[in-house]
Amino acid sequence: MARRPRILVINPNSNEAVTEGLRQAVRPLAFAEGPEIVCETLSDGPFGIETQEHVESVTLPLRRRVEAANDADAFVIACYSDPGLHVAREGTSRPVFGIAESGVLSALARADRFGVIAIKSRSIPRHIRYLRQMGLMDRLAGERALEMSVAETASGDRTLDRMIAIGRELKELDGAGAIVMGCAGMARHRKPLEEALGIPVIDPTQAAVTMAIGTIQVG
């Protein structure tokens, strides 16, 4: 009997609530004959990745985890800063997907211009640098912040209301035709946010796992 392929989704922060949100988000992508999707927490990561220091601190632990995961056929780094993406790719011959890269590319397939909901304003310069490196600044309608922590976006009672308000600004003021949720902790809010805004809302973790499934299925 052939071994079932496995996709390892790594949450680089140590917040188990975020990891559980990822499990719920990718559950609709599982099917009987498809790859197994496993979500795990990087236990020695910060509680939330909110600064450049946090990003840098998980780079080598992610590389070591990827190198050690001999039973995985593809990897997803589930943080919107794509920490350690390139160094992790150097450590394996198997595909490694970053959710920011995957989420933005998925948004470009749905709309001419996209907007991003960030957790905090200080995250935005980091995201802008990344989009500039990708050569996609002319497709960015705007990025606006919730001014909440990763933990709050994952479990806060008022998160969805705030996301709807920011999403409407991106749509109505900035001209975004699709929205990318700029944090893995927002995963549980994708569907109600899309229903409220009336435009596509991309959960970047779902986008990355979908790409990983496609790569494995045709590979």
Side-chain angles (χ1 to χ4, degrees), residues 189-205:
H189 302 296
R190 191 208 67 80
K191 186 174 181 180
L193 180 62
E194 184 171 273
E195 291 172 350
L197 297 179
I199 58 175
V201 174
I202 309 299
D203 174 1
T205 303

Side-chain angles (χ1 to χ4, degrees), residues 17 148-161 185 188-189:
M148 304 176 78
S149 68
V150 172
E152 287 172 326
T153 63
S155 57
D157 295 334
R158 297 175 297 170
T159 304
L160 178 59
D161 289 342
R188 68 191 179 102
H189 302 296

